[in-house]
Amino acid sequence: MKHLSVKTVAIFIVAILLGGLLFNTSQNVQKSQDDLRALHAEIEAEKETIGVLEVEWEYLNRPQRLEELAKKTLKMSVPEAGEVTGNMDDIPDLSTHASEVLIIPQAKPATFQRGGEL
Amino acid sequence: MIFGAHIRRNSIKLDGHHNSALEQARGRMMLVMSIFMIAYAVLAFRVFDVSIIQGELGHVRAHHEQQDTVDLPADHVLKRGRIYDRNGVMLAGSLKTSSLYANPHLIDGVEETAQGLVNIFSDLSYGNVLQKLQSQKKFVWIKRNITPAEQYKVLELGQPGLEFEREDRRVYPQENLSAHILGFTNIDNHGLAGIERSFDQMLSAGEDINLSIDVRLQHVLRRELGKAISDFSAIGGAGIIMDVQTGELLAGTSLPDFKPHSLSDAKTSDLFNRMTLGVYELGSVFKIFSTAALLDTHNLPMGTTFDAREPIKIGRFTINDYHAQKRELTIPEIFMHSSNIGAALMAQQVGTEGIRNLYDDLGLLRPLDFEIKEVGRPIVADPWREITTLTASYGHGIATTPLQLIGAVSSIVNGGLLVKPNLVKGAEGDTPRESLRVISERTSKKMNKLLRLVVTQGTGGNADVVGYLVGGKTGTAEKSTKHGYDKKSLISSFVGVFPMDNPRYAIYIMVDEPKGNKKSHGYATAGWVAAPAVGRVVQSMVSILGIAPKEVKQGAEMEANLIRYLPLEDRKPAKKTGGHLVSY
């Protein structure tokens, strides 16, 4: 056993340790790669979902549909030119008349005049 | 002793020799053994690694990958770019869908499989599918872009020979709304028409495009054009809204249109783009150009009269008036009553050269250089004779696309600088603007007053929107057939501009073959068909864009100094400004 000197044994042990370390590292790298791949896949899947949702959002918000819904559920219609103003003072302050009028946008503003008697 | 010693020494020597050889052999064996041991240990480890550690996890990973068909982004296929409107609303995008294909070699029970597939996809025919499944190929498409529910049903058939591929599918969330502008792609995502075609390379490279159109205005325009078409039982129409300062197309529509998702259902006539591809004799709206030519080349007072009592006869042609006044007319009168005779006389005074030059400068004689390739070539008389000058003055004998017309009108009203119609929005703050002057600013101002006069006093009254100073010009043209002009099939159009004191928007609506109705007392002319539609578009536009109305004091109207050229009995009182806003 003269030839297996302390030095040789030590080298063996170091080699085995290094081998183990290498193995461990390679396992870690593989795991990280797996994680990364999974994350990328998740991101891609997420992006795709977002894409689908964006398309759906645009589809549901298309002006034609909004107009129909506004007409049907809110009884709103295209404002006439006379109902647009550039002057804030033209807009009546409904808060001071709160007791007199029913403030529900259920019809064109013009009918609020009659609304005073409600 | 000596012997012994000798022997011993010898034996020792021998022994020593022997011993060292044995030692060496043992050492080597040990070395070999340990190498083998390490090798086996490594192998054992590796087996453990491969079969247990990687085997289990790796399986999961492979499964995961297959499900998402996603690998590292490096080899991810580029998605076709999206198309947005000016406010970032998506007009076209791409979605991943599954496509079904078969490997006929792996199909077991061809007939049942074919029957099963036909039960799932009602639009497939049994014979067709059967024929595909019994072919000798290894790959046949069964159906592209199927829904998840359909995919689920196919999986339930349990056929190993039926497989899926993830593919991109083009979607248009706004459906028909901008169909003619966007165009469409084939199943392999190559653009075949519209923006999809002209920007195919960019879109294929995954780049997005922002258009200058606004979906809200697009909707308003399409709605009102559609209403005009159905109210007057027309066969179609076109509409455009343009920013007169930049030439940007804010909306553009051509009806009938098509559903980009079900192209196979569309008729050939649905695919025809009347806005950019159709060329029409657009009639009296051309008086804007001939009048501008006269005012720009001759320094004439507005009160200059032209004798419109008699029709003009040149060779076999006779030029007549539709709204005949049978008297001498001033320039404003010619314009607001839309007198063909007057316009022809004005053009005569300008001369062929002058008319032709202005028309050429305005881009009416050449095909338009535009961002979509479906652009019509104008039809112009060749050679250009004197009679061409006369008829071209009121929009006959020259056929152009509606897009060219509104571009030319924009160049007249915006102060006289040529604008080029454009559809793709440049980067913010980067608005390339051609500053080529086509008419003087003074002429442009005069034209704006004349255009306003048409709406307050003349044929365009139905386009007026109180508080927004709409101006414009009507144009009713008979369509030409093989046997000359057909009095019954008309092209009725109106080009409106507002606000006339500082023009910002031009709106053009053209209705193809309208028929008069009860409300219009049987008339199908522009003033009844197109002008009210433009008025309604303006009305909706102002609330969308948040434009405040302007109050104009009586007597201070911009067209006031033109009214004095009208006979007293022709003058209409100004409409009252101010709305129906409530006051308590």
Side-chain angles (χ1 to χ4, degrees), chain B residues 445-511:
Chain B
K445 285 229 167 77
K446 285 183 190 165
M447 287 310 300
N448 290 349
K449 287 179 183 169
L450 284 171
L451 287 164
R452 177 73 184 134
L453 185 74
V454 171
V455 172
T456 56
Q457 304 288 330
T459 51
N462 284 331
D464 202 17
V465 178
V466 176
Y468 290 95
L469 306 176
V470 181
K473 181 77 192 78
T474 52
T476 309
E478 290 160 9
K479 278 172 111 173
S480 65
T481 61
K482 279 178 201 158
H483 318 288
Y485 288 99
D486 181 354
K487 280 204 161 110
K488 285 204 176 127
S489 53
L490 304 175
I491 296 272
S492 296
S493 65
F494 185 82
V495 58
V497 180
F498 85 97
M500 221 54 249
D501 56 346
N502 181 21
R504 184 72 208 278
Y505 303 102
I507 300 128
Y508 182 64
I509 281 187
M510 176 210 97
V511 182

Side-chain angles (χ1 to χ4, degrees), chain B residues 174-297:
Chain B
Q174 313 287 338
E175 296 193 307
N176 294 29
L177 194 56
S178 316
H180 284 289
I181 289 177
L182 296 176
F184 45 85
T185 65
N186 64 6
I187 193 132
D188 292 316
N189 282 329
H190 288 294
L192 294 183
I195 288 286
E196 294 274 25
R197 174 172 164 222
S198 50
F199 287 89
D200 193 36
Q201 238 177 349
M202 232 178 107
L203 290 166
S204 302
E207 295 203 50
D208 297 341
I209 290 179
N210 284 65
L211 299 187
S212 61
I213 65 170
D214 182 326
V215 286
R216 301 168 300 172
L217 302 183
Q218 182 79 14
H219 165 65
V220 166
L221 184 67
R222 186 168 175 272
R223 182 187 68 200
E224 297 307 339
L225 177 64
K227 189 173 180 323
I229 290 173
S230 66
D231 282 358
F232 293 93
S233 325
I235 59 167
I240 303 170
I241 302 177
M242 183 172 279
D243 182 324
V244 301
Q245 303 293 338
T246 62
E248 278 180 324
L249 210 70
L250 299 175
T253 186
S254 167
L255 289 176
D257 53 17
F258 55 92
K259 259 196 169 39
H261 299 123
S262 45
L263 272 178
S264 47
D265 299 342
K267 283 177 269 169
T268 325
S269 58
D270 297 345
L271 297 178
F272 185 71
N273 186 345
R274 283 185 164 79
M275 168 180 54
T276 62
L277 188 58
V279 291
Y280 307 91
E281 288 178 287
L282 294 172
S284 302
V285 280
F286 269 67
K287 284 175 192 149
I288 298 174
F289 313 130
S290 49
T291 309
L294 178 75
L295 297 177
D296 207 48
T297 51

Side-chain angles (χ1 to χ4, degrees), chain A residues 75-114:
Chain A
K75 309 258 181 278
M76 286 168 90
S77 62
V78 179
E80 281 169 33
E83 292 165 341
V84 180
T85 177
N87 187 359
M88 281 298 279
D89 299 335
D90 286 352
I91 301 169
D93 182 6
L94 290 179
S95 62
T96 56
H97 301 270
S99 54
E100 299 167 35
V101 289
L102 196 62
I103 313 170
I104 301 172
Q106 55 184 0
K108 284 191 286 189
T111 56
F112 277 11
Q113 269 173 323
R114 273 172 277 131

Side-chain angles (χ1 to χ4, degrees), chain B residues 1-9:
Chain B
M1 226 4 227
I2 293 172
F3 180 74
H6 177 76
I7 289 174
R8 201 164 172 186
R9 198 179 296 132

